Amino acid sequence: MQPVSIRLSRCGKTFPDGTRALEPLDLDIGAGETMVFLGPSGCGKTTTLRIIAGLEAPDEGGSVTFDGVDVTPLPIEKRNVGMVFQSYALFPNMSVAENIGYGLRIRKRPATAIRQRVGELLEMMRISPLADRRIDQLSGGQRQRVALARALAAEPRALLLDEPLTALDAKLRDVLRLEIDGLLRRLGITAIYVTHDQAEAMALGDRILVMDHGKVAQIGSPRDIYQRPASRYVAEFIGTMNRLSGQPESGGFRTAGGLLPWAAAPHAAREAWFRPEDTALADAASAPLSGSIDAAFFLGDRTRLFVSIGNDKPLVVETAERREFRIGETVGLQVDASRILAL
Amino acid sequence: MALRRENSLLIALLLPAGIFFCAFFLLPLVRLFLIGGEGKLGYAAYAAIVTDRNYFRSLVSTLVLAAGTTVITLIISGIAGVFLQRHSFRGNAVLVSMLTFPLAFPGVVIGFMVIMLAGRQGLIGDITLALTGEKLVFAYSMAGLLMGYVYFSIPRTILTVMAAAEKLDPKLEEAARSLGASPWRVVLDVIIPGLKPAFLAAGAICFATAVGAFGTAFTLATRINVLPMVIYTEFTLQANMAMAAALSFVLGAVTWIVLAIARQFAGGTVAAAG
Amino acid sequence: MQRKPLFWLQLAFTLSVCVFLVVPVVLSALAGLTVNYQTGLSSGLTFRWVIEVWSGYRDTIFRSIGISLACLAVTLVLGIPAAYALAKKQNGFTRALEELLVMPVAVPGLATALALIVMYGGAGGFRTSWLFILVGHVLFTLPFMVRSVLAVLLAIDLKTLEEGAASLGAGFIQRFTHIVLPNCRAGIVAGSLMVVTLSMGEFNMTWLLHTPFTKTLPVGLADAYASLRLEIGSAYTLVFFVMIVPLLIAMQAVAQKPKQTFKTDEE
């Protein structure tokens, strides 16, 4: 199977009731790439996926091409894409094997070829013993594997996954995330993965498209998005961000807790943004910043502290120090100046 | 584009049923309405049901009969339905089967059941004859009709009540009892309010059925003065097509409105049968 | 467990309701098999009345079976596509349509029958054929088929199942036959049983729609009740019970289908 490259141009979506689900979007997805659409519910990520799948038509003027061929007028059944739905959409009237073989049956493959391919997929997903089970006899994780196998059986040109892990509990999500990652790398298939879970997006995506209210907030590699978020929205959506308000002055950034040594602070900056992992406890006497402990959570290997400085939201700091922290205690903080962003 | 294609497909799928429905129900009803106005009273025929003393009297007795049926059925089915839903004991399923078994008996057969019980050769007559020396026969009167309608309405009402009682959260009752409510207060404050939509829906069906049913009255006696019988008499004996049309149109409107109102209040599915 | 007096009171009440419903059925069955009901069982049991009913009213029995099966066929063909369309588009318009479609159940059969007569009474061949009755029965039973199938279609996630099938390459006809029909089978079965049972017992409309040559079973019953001796009416009723009881039992069995089992993750 040859992975396909996908291009969206000017793809917008306005629903009949007038709501704009998606602002016109241009996007290139390379052959064999795993692209993650990330954002909160209602941001337009599922709509975009459904336009690529052929379940929704883009507004007038938009087009979808697969390997340069315009597929906009084709309904999903003509696009040869594999799709995994959030609720799996397994057919309750068919067994596991019949579900997996359905796409091949539609393509009128001979029965022996179907049986063989279904066997391969059952093996690949490690669910061979379930072949004759009814769908309502399966657990959530098993259903997820059947749905993946079914989507892959007919060797689709692209695999589209719509929040495939959302319905599962946290532990199982971790296991399956790893499996899906391995599967996508091994198959080298073009994959589009929709999720609202940033950890999933970071783990799976070659690139991530962060969406906000039907618009692109940022597009880039997980590293880019995390380390150089393009906006406050992206910064706050991905991971945790500390924010400290103040004024730039010579030699740093004046805050309620002291002078932050941020020489590169832009003239107009009124807030400094930095990650918890770039923030560390320091000796209160010599540290540039000081604040008081609002709350302390002992996590076992480390302690998470909430330190309040002035009227800002408490900063999150994690430390491996083994001592006990008292609420109200004054602590010193230092921040890796090269990691501070203005946003 | 894809949307338009899907819409025309759906319309095509609705079309056969729609055409059948228009040709054999809507158009005939319109015709019925027009014919109702073609008699010697003109469209005043539609008011005759309240202006004409005889029609009005049958309307009132029909409504009284229907109301009586509804109240009696709801009390009986409410008690039995909640009881069967709440208690599991051996034979429970058999009781439910027996109580819902007459579900689809036609009106004529119901009428015959009433005759078997309260007719000239009926069981009640035999028993009262043995006990008091006098034979109690009431099948061929309003009382017999009432009994028939209750008989007819019990099965479906019990089913509705049981379905609703199943959805009642027993924790609400436990909560009420934990707050010190007596069993009667629990019934009053938790169970009856919880079952209200079901009672409304089932009651509306009882009422509409009792207003519009014809088979039972027909079997028991042609002289029982309820609206469906009056319409039938106008149609066959008096050959007064216009009056029969006007009265049956009004009758149809009454039952349809009762059910529509009940559906507004109760939500869900309310439909009469019979 | 110790039962409270209230329990026994309610049980007694429920049992007496049962007696009220079941006793006349038993009495009528017995009457149909007794030589002389007035004298009682001592007069002996006989199949004489049943045989008399069979020879006199056989045609009504076959006609009723025929009409109810034809009614089933028509309601399947009209009802399933309509239910599917109503399930696919849930908006004000389709809800109004559904409301309209249910009207023949809310409106008394007498009114519907009169309406049919004033409209088509002049169409000689149609008026006097069994098709005239069939039309009435379809009007009355179609809502039950539509409702029953629609309820199942709304309970399953039809949209996603169909999208799933489409993503695997299935076109509309394939989706309809492979996915939609098998998954609403329970609704189709329940609706079919209801349609056949109701059509078999329909009287309100049929009494006005029938002609002397198109009598159905309930029409024959009304005849027999009015003009013949109690034993024959009972025997006829017995025949009707024998035909309808299997349908009712099947209906109860379908309604009490065991609930779906869910499995939790064992990974």
Side-chain angles (χ1 to χ4, degrees):
Chain A
M1 120 187 90
Q2 207 55 25
V4 73
S5 67
I6 298 172
R7 159 171 288 182
L8 301 187
S9 52
R10 310 296 303 152
C11 276
K13 183 72 189 173
T14 313
F15 283 113
D17 63 357
T19 47
R20 194 72 179 263
L22 185 65
E23 300 290 336
L25 166 77
D26 292 302
L27 180 66
D28 273 303
I29 300 166
E33 184 181 24
T34 300
M35 171 67 95
V36 175
F37 294 170
L38 174 67
S41 66
C43 71
K45 56 191 192 300
T46 295
T47 303
T48 314
L49 184 80
R50 290 172 65 86
I51 288 174
I52 295 171
L55 288 168
E56 306 276 358
D59 290 345
E60 205 64 46
S63 75
V64 181
T65 57
F66 285 5
D67 274 345
V69 178
D70 188 7
V71 295
T72 320
L74 294 184
I76 184 169
E77 59 261 35
K78 303 266 167 58
R79 290 195 188 182
N80 195 15
V81 292
M83 187 146 178
V84 176
F85 295 82
Q86 182 173 351
S87 58
Y88 313 139
L90 298 176
F91 310 132
N93 55 315
M94 299 181 196
S95 69
V96 167
E98 285 168 333
N99 261 283
I100 298 175
Y102 185 73
L104 299 166
R105 178 177 152 204
I106 291 295
R107 287 166 178 76
K108 302 213 162 53
R109 300 283 165 75
T112 47
I114 295 181
R115 209 170 312 128
Q116 194 199 338
R117 176 75 178 141
V118 169
E120 278 170 35
L121 281 153
L122 285 166
E123 199 131 309
M124 182 167 90
M125 300 310 298
R126 301 201 308 274
I127 46 175
S128 299
L130 304 179
D132 298 320
R133 291 270 187 94
R134 282 204 326 267
I135 298 307
D136 59 11
Q137 295 171 315
L138 301 181
S139 70
Q142 291 166 341
R143 285 176 202 213
Q144 175 60 66
R145 291 196 172 92
V146 177
L148 263 169
R150 186 181 73 175
L152 291 169
E155 312 204 315
R157 301 204 284 169
L159 182 63
L160 312 176
L161 305 108
D162 185 10
E163 304 247 13
L165 301 181
T166 304
L168 303 172
D169 62 57
K171 215 166 144 193
L172 194 59
R173 260 204 311 266
D174 288 342
V175 175
L176 275 161
R177 188 165 69 198
L178 213 64
E179 274 184 35
I180 291 177
D181 185 55
L183 195 68
L184 295 180
R185 312 269 153 243
R186 206 161 63 240
L187 295 174
I189 190 172
T190 309
I192 301 169
Y193 190 107
V194 165
T195 183
H196 66 271
D197 181 322
Q198 43 119 349
E200 240 168 76
M202 304 281 284
L204 292 172
D206 291 326
R207 280 193 299 158
I208 298 175
L209 171 68
V210 186
M211 299 188 72
D212 176 25
H213 288 97
K215 285 197 277 276
V216 176
Q218 189 171 4
I219 180 163
S221 70
R223 212 165 275 280
D224 281 343
I225 303 259
Y226 188 82
Q227 292 172 349
R228 282 181 292 280
S231 64
R232 295 177 178 196
Y233 171 81
V234 176
E236 290 188 307
F237 193 75
I238 309 236
T240 312
M241 265 286 179
N242 283 328
R243 188 187 62 195
L244 209 48
S245 51
Q247 296 274 356
E249 61 175 60
S250 58
F253 188 73
R254 172 63 60 191
T255 74
L259 186 69
L260 188 64
W262 181 23
H267 195 66
R270 291 294 172 271
E271 283 172 347
W273 296 71
F274 45 93
R275 296 278 178 194
E277 62 268 28
D278 299 321
T279 317
L281 286 188
D283 180 24
S286 58
L289 293 176
S290 70
S292 69
I293 296 180
D294 244 23
F297 298 135
F298 177 59
L299 302 175
D301 54 340
R302 63 217 140 92
T303 303
R304 182 176 298 155
L305 300 173
F306 291 82
V307 178
S308 73
I309 292 178
N311 294 324
D312 284 320
K313 224 175 91 191
L315 306 184
V316 180
V317 191
E318 291 191 348
T319 174
E321 270 186 53
R322 299 192 173 189
R323 69 184 182 90
E324 281 210 33
F325 294 91
R326 279 179 295 105
I327 306 295
E329 183 184 330
T330 302
V331 289
L333 294 179
Q334 61 184 25
V335 181
D336 181 347
S338 67
R339 298 289 185 188
I340 301 174
L341 300 170
L343 295 180
Chain B
M1 166 183 49
L3 200 67
R4 202 171 312 143
R5 198 170 47 207
E6 189 187 289
N7 274 345
S8 47
L9 179 71
L10 293 183
I11 288 171
L13 290 173
L14 274 171
L15 215 52
I19 290 175
F20 184 90
F21 182 76
C22 288
F24 293 115
F25 189 73
L26 284 188
L27 287 179
L29 269 193
V30 170
R31 189 75 204 277
L32 186 71
F33 181 78
L34 296 178
I35 294 225
E38 280 173 8
K40 51 181 185 294
L41 291 178
Y43 282 96
Y46 284 96
I49 197 163
V50 282
T51 52
D52 180 298
R53 184 190 299 268
N54 285 327
Y55 294 146
F56 186 66
R57 203 178 302 140
S58 2
L59 174 70
V60 169
S61 53
T62 308
L63 294 180
V64 168
L65 174 70
T69 305
T70 308
V71 171
I72 296 172
T73 307
L74 285 184
I75 292 174
I76 293 177
S77 314
I79 295 174
V82 173
F83 170 72
L84 287 170
Q85 182 59 46
R86 275 304 146 84
H87 299 275
S88 62
F89 50 88
R90 205 154 5 120
N92 182 312
V94 179
L95 280 186
V96 174
S97 302
M98 289 207 298
L99 285 171
T100 54
F101 162 72
L103 189 62
F105 284 9
V108 265
V109 171
I110 303 282
F112 192 62
M113 296 298 110
V114 173
I115 291 177
M116 291 312 293
L117 278 177
R120 274 181 285 275
Q121 301 179 55
L123 184 67
I124 293 176
D126 290 348
I127 294 175
T128 48
L129 185 64
L131 289 178
T132 66
E134 227 173 293
K135 203 167 188 175
L136 180 61
V137 173
F138 60 86
Y140 314 100
S141 66
M142 266 316 185
L145 198 53
L146 177 71
M147 185 162 145
Y149 287 165
V150 169
Y151 187 104
F152 179 83
S153 301
I154 284 176
R156 77 185 60 239
T157 311
I158 282 191
L159 279 183
T160 313
V161 170
M162 283 182 66
E166 192 183 3
K167 291 199 191 94
L168 270 190
D169 185 357
K171 295 214 172 53
L172 288 180
E173 276 169 61
E174 287 164 12
R177 277 166 52 199
S178 78
L179 295 168
S182 68
W184 280 114
R185 291 240 45 114
V186 172
V187 169
L188 230 55
D189 296 339
V190 178
I191 297 183
I192 289 183
L195 293 181
K196 207 171 108 192
F199 276 147
L200 263 172
I205 295 175
C206 288
F207 191 86
T209 312
V211 167
F214 165 63
T216 311
F218 181 82
T219 306
L220 292 179
T222 33
R223 280 179 306 282
I224 295 180
N225 190 20
V226 288
L227 260 187
M229 290 309 291
V230 172
I231 294 171
Y232 180 68
T233 314
E234 290 291 341
F235 174 61
T236 50
L237 301 180
Q238 322 277 344
N240 188 352
M241 197 62 205
M243 202 62 224
L247 288 177
S248 58
F249 196 90
V250 172
L251 184 71
V254 168
T255 54
W256 186 68
I257 288 169
V258 167
L259 288 171
I261 290 174
R263 199 175 334 199
Q264 280 301 312
F265 281 110
T269 53
V270 177
Chain C
M1 195 174 84
Q2 190 67 40
R3 303 277 194 187
K4 294 202 187 99
L6 191 64
F7 170 85
W8 297 109
L9 211 64
Q10 284 176 300
L11 180 64
F13 180 82
T14 309
L15 281 175
S16 46
V17 178
C18 256
V19 167
F20 168 57
L21 292 185
V22 172
V23 161
V25 176
V26 174
L27 285 181
S28 127
L30 276 180
L33 298 171
T34 313
V35 173
N36 185 329
Y37 185 63
Q38 198 65 53
T39 343
L41 277 177
S42 56
S43 62
L45 292 174
T46 176
F47 273 114
R48 190 182 137 200
W49 311 120
V50 177
I51 292 165
E52 219 165 285
V53 166
W54 182 253
S55 59
Y57 289 97
R58 197 173 35 205
D59 61 318
T60 68
I61 296 166
F62 287 126
R63 190 169 294 111
S64 269
I65 294 175
I67 288 179
S68 64
L69 291 180
C71 184
L72 173 60
V74 178
T75 49
L76 285 174
V77 170
L78 297 182
I80 296 176
Y84 172 80
L86 292 176
K88 275 302 273 272
K89 264 255 148 43
Q90 287 275 301
N91 57 30
F93 177 67
T94 56
R95 261 189 294 278
L97 267 183
E98 196 192 329
E99 192 88 5
L100 264 180
L101 226 48
V102 177
M103 263 182 86
V105 180
V107 171
L110 203 59
T112 313
L114 276 180
L116 278 171
I117 288 171
V118 298
M119 188 85 187
Y120 297 105
F126 179 45
R127 170 72 181 90
T128 52
S129 85
W130 63 278
L131 291 172
F132 200 52
I133 298 174
L134 177 66
V135 164
H137 285 202
V138 170
L139 275 181
F140 176 59
T141 55
L142 186 60
F144 291 92
M145 180 63 83
V146 172
R147 273 279 166 84
S148 177
V149 175
L150 184 60
V152 175
L153 287 178
L154 291 179
I156 60 178
D157 188 358
L158 182 68
K159 180 163 174 276
T160 318
L161 284 183
E162 269 203 76
E163 287 182 357
S167 77
L168 297 165
F172 171 72
I173 302 282
Q174 288 166 320
R175 296 200 296 264
F176 196 78
T177 50
H178 296 160
I179 309 299
V180 179
L181 284 183
N183 283 305
C184 65
R185 204 176 50 199
I188 296 175
V189 171
S192 300
L193 286 168
M194 197 72 191
V195 165
V196 172
T197 312
L198 288 175
S199 166
M200 203 89 98
E202 212 297 320
F203 176 79
N204 292 347
M205 263 187 248
T206 318
W207 182 253
L208 292 187
L209 298 180
H210 86 277
T211 69
F213 306 104
T214 56
K215 283 186 183 172
T216 64
L217 206 164
V219 169
L221 275 176
D223 261 0
Y225 295 155
S227 54
L228 301 173
R229 55 184 300 167
L230 187 78
E231 288 83 352
I232 295 187
S234 293
Y236 204 173
T237 311
L238 185 62
V239 171
F240 176 72
F241 283 155
V242 167
M243 291 172 58
I244 207 127
V245 163
L247 289 168
L248 291 171
I249 290 174
M251 223 143 62
Q252 287 192 346
V254 170
Q256 282 160 7
K257 227 182 68 169
K259 295 195 175 83
Q260 257 198 352
T261 48
F262 283 102
K263 287 202 66 182
T264 48
D265 283 291
E266 60 236 14
E267 279 107 329

